[in-house]
């Protein structure tokens, strides 16, 4: 069992000196504000997803890595019954959270868009975890000052990093000095459900389980598991460059038409497949329906008589995902492929409109004109296939770096086309950045994370890096955002190396 580490120095950062100064400044600000030194720091990193988007909530494996940008909380216990949270970014005003004295978990008022709501998500899951072993535990009061370097709404999981840092802070103040990575992942994957987001588990798994120099294969079935592995060592060295489109994706606010709607569409799509083939499939999606992964497993075992796929073997995965891609071509009519109405969807599932509404449209608010079940299925099965193809080319690396980079780049480009055309999760600015990337030395470029704005991940190598960076600066940032300072541009374009996951830092 691997534990969330407690470290006594900052050597895990590539620039230790800079971070030492950052933590010292944070300590000083904390002392000024709260009149005591912090007792410890809880930190959790952002992540970049290399390939496999909007498929985690369908239970298909994804390939992210934790990166160095992170959220750090300086924390110290205090007297009283209030948790005080503040942020080095003054746009997030200080909040005071009353600890319920009857032992219940805090409640979240979803009609307010306060940053403290995300803190409460961490507090709730930490409290529930503590109550698993100590039902009578009374939460302690504390002060926490947060400092984040993950761009907000940039698709690099600022929200997951924040929720995990908050969870770790609450756990540690309340006497949980050790927690396994698997427990921290298990409890934090549902954090954001408390603010109404029906997310999958990729971000939290990546942020908790990150390892230096390794990407992660995160699988959700048969169990949630993060397997760290090294990508082939290419010559010249592979580099992932992240460029922020600076179009902020307000994931929670736009959830009814964007993120949560995708979750609903694929749930309906999975149930349609189950119904067509009379499959017995587990009802284990966030909505309590079948998943596209579940119906793949059911179709292969119940109709084709195959054994269950372990979710990792790429050869089996490629074949089965291709089968599902062929299947969706024949189960929908040409008209249905362009989207279906609520009535059509209910009819395909043999449900009344009111039963359909109850089952699919009432857990999380969604708004739509048509339900794009075919195109979303095509994206999900296609991107899951590309994850397997990525594993295959990594396993088959024969020393030909150029071939590997080209193949991986093509998969990333195909993923971007599907994100844009089948999943409608790109934006014109993101498309522009991808195009500029490919024209200027990227082997492949795609939107990473939820999309609808946010960041692009470009695959390149050290030799091509400078020219690529310059082209993005001149042709995207200087052109579209002429008022950006050099510093702001530096923050918008970052080289991301796989970094360690969440940890506690205690000064010696
Ligand atoms: P980001 O990029 O952090 O918004 C979201 C979901 C993931 C996953 C990706 C798309 C959260 C916390 N995370 O990530 O689970 O579905 O979109 O692949 O909402």
């Amino acid at each position: 069992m691997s534990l969330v580490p407690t470290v006594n120095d900052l050597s895990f950062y590539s620039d230790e000196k800079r971070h030492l100064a950052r933590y010292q400044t944070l300590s000083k600000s904390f002392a000024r504000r709260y009149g005591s030194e912090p007792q410890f720091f809880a930190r959790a990193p952002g992540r970049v997803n290399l390939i496999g988007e909007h498929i985690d909530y369908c239970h298909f494996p994804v390939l992210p890595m934790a990166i160095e940008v992170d959220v750090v909380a300086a924390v110290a216990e205090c007297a009283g019954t209030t948790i005080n949270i503040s942020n080095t970014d003054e746009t997030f005003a200080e909040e005071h959270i009353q600890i319920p004295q009857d032992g219940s978990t805090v409640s979240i008022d979803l009609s307010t868009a306060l940053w403290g709501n995300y803190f409460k998500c961490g507090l709730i899951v930490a409290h529930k975890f503590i109550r698993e072993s100590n039902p009578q535990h009374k939460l302690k009061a504390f002060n926490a000052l947060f400092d984040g370097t993950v761009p907000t709404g940039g698709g690099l999981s600022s929200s997951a990093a924040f929720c995990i840092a908050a969870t770790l802070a609450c756990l540690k103040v309340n006497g949980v000095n050790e927690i396994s990575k698997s427990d921290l992942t298990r409890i934090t994957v549902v954090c954001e459900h408390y603010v109404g987001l029906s997310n999958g588990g990729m971000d939290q798994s990546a942020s908790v389980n990150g390892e230096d120099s390794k990407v992660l294969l995160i699988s959700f079935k048969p169990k949630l598991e993060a397997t760290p592995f090294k990508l082939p060592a290419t010559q010249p060295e592979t580099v992932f460059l992240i460029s922020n489109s600076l179009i902020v994706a307000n994931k929670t606010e736009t959830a009814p038409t964007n993120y949560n709607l995708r979750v609903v569409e694929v749930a309906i799509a999975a149930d349609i497949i189950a119904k067509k083939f009379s499959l017995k499939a587990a009802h284990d999606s966030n909505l309590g329906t079948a998943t596209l992964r579940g119906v793949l497993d059911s179709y292969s075992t119940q109709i084709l008589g195959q054994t269950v796929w372990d979710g990792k073997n790429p050869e089996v995965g490629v074949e089965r995902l291709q089968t599902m891609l062929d299947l969706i071509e024949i189960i929908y009519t040409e008209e249905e492929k362009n989207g279906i109405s609520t009535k059509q969807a209910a009819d395909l599932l043999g449900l009344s409109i009111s039963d359909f509404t109850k089952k699919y449209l009432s857990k999380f608010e969604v708004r739509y004109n048509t339900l794009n079940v075919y195109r979303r299925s095509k994206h999900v099965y296609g991107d899951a296939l590309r994850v397997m193809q990525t594993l295959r080319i990594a396993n088959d690396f024969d020393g030909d770096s150029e071939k590997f980079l080209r193949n991986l780049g093509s998969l990333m480009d195909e993923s971007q086309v599907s994100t844009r055309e089948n999943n409608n999760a790109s934006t014109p600015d993101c498309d522009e950045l991808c195009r500029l990337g490919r024209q200027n030395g990227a082997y492949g470029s795609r939107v990473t994370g939820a999309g609808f704005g946010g960041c692009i991940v470009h695959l390149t190598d050290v030799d091509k890096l400078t020219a690529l960076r310059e082209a993005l600066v001149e042709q995207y940032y200087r052109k579209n955002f002429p008022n950006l300072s050099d510093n702001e541009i530096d923050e918008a374009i970052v080289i991301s190396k796989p970094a360690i996951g969440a940890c506690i830092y205690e000064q010696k």
Side-chain angles (χ1 to χ4, degrees), residues 218-246:
I218 309 228
S219 11
F220 302 93
K221 277 196 157 182
K223 62 179 170 69
L224 178 58
E225 198 178 4
T227 313
F229 72 98
K230 282 199 172 185
L231 282 178
T234 57
Q235 283 298 336
E237 193 188 335
T238 300
V239 176
F240 292 102
L241 185 77
I242 299 173
S243 61
N244 192 337
S245 69
L246 301 178

Side-chain angles (χ1 to χ4, degrees), residues 13 165-166 182 195 205 269 282 343 349 382 429 468 477 485 491:
Y13 286 113
S182 59
V195 281
S205 308
K343 166 95 175 57
L349 291 162
D429 305 75
L468 173 59
Y477 295 99
S485 66
E491 279 172 15

